Amino acid sequence: MGTQTAALMFGGQNDSLSPPKRGETEEYNGTGWSVEATCPSALGGIGSAGVGTQTAALAFAGNNLGPLFNNTESWDGSSWTEDNNLNTARDYLGGAGTQTSALAFGGAPVPSRGTTTEEFTGETTAVNITDFTTS
C-alpha cells in the first residue's frame, strides 16, 4: 500500500442538506489534516471531479441536489481562483491530468452528458473532443 504523505480534499455533501454543498478544502501532510481556504463555488455538492496535486489542482462540475454546474476552480496550494468553465454542465464525471492540462469526461445523466469529453489547457476548454460510447 505504501505511505501517503500528501493529499488534498475539497467540497462534499452535508448530511443535513442545509446547505447541501460544501466548499471546504483540507490538506493532509502525512500526519494530520489542516483546514485551508474555502472553494468559492463550493463545488462538490455531488459528483464533482478534480485533478492535479496538493499544490496545483483543478476542481470542476458537480451539482447541488438540482442544478448542474460547469464551474472550474484552480488551486495554487493556498487559495482558489475561478478559471475557464467547462462547456457542458454535469455531475458524476471523471477527470484526469494536471492543473494545466486536464480532461473532464463522461458524467450523468447518460447519454446526453455521458459521452462528452472536454480538454482543459489552462486557457480554454473544448467540448466534444472525443465522443465515446459504452456497451
Side-chain angles (χ1 to χ4, degrees):
M1 190 107 143
T3 302
Q4 181 60 44
T5 59
L8 180 69
M9 185 283 305
F10 61 90
Q13 182 68 37
N14 185 344
D15 289 339
S16 71
L17 302 180
S18 180
K21 61 183 180 169
R22 310 282 297 200
E24 286 90 347
T25 302
E26 294 190 21
E27 288 187 0
Y28 180 72
N29 65 8
T31 59
W33 290 91
S34 62
V35 176
E36 303 298 329
T38 299
C39 185
S41 295
L43 294 173
I46 298 176
S48 64
V51 300
T53 67
Q54 186 181 24
T55 58
L58 289 177
F60 40 83
N63 80 57
N64 186 15
L65 297 178
L68 299 175
F69 298 122
N70 67 337
N71 300 55
T72 300
E73 303 284 344
S74 180
W75 174 254
D76 66 5
S78 62
S79 64
W80 291 98
T81 304
E82 173 69 20
D83 218 318
N84 294 310
N85 290 334
L86 295 173
N87 292 303
T88 304
R90 53 200 145 141
D91 58 0
Y92 298 105
L93 69 161
T98 67
Q99 185 186 43
T100 58
S101 179
L103 293 177
F105 48 88
V110 174
S112 61
R113 286 178 276 282
T115 61
T116 301
T117 300
E118 295 186 51
E119 180 180 20
F120 181 86
T121 62
E123 297 177 11
T124 60
T125 58
V127 69
N128 292 331
I129 63 165
T130 304
D131 282 337
F132 60 91
T133 58
T134 59
S135 54

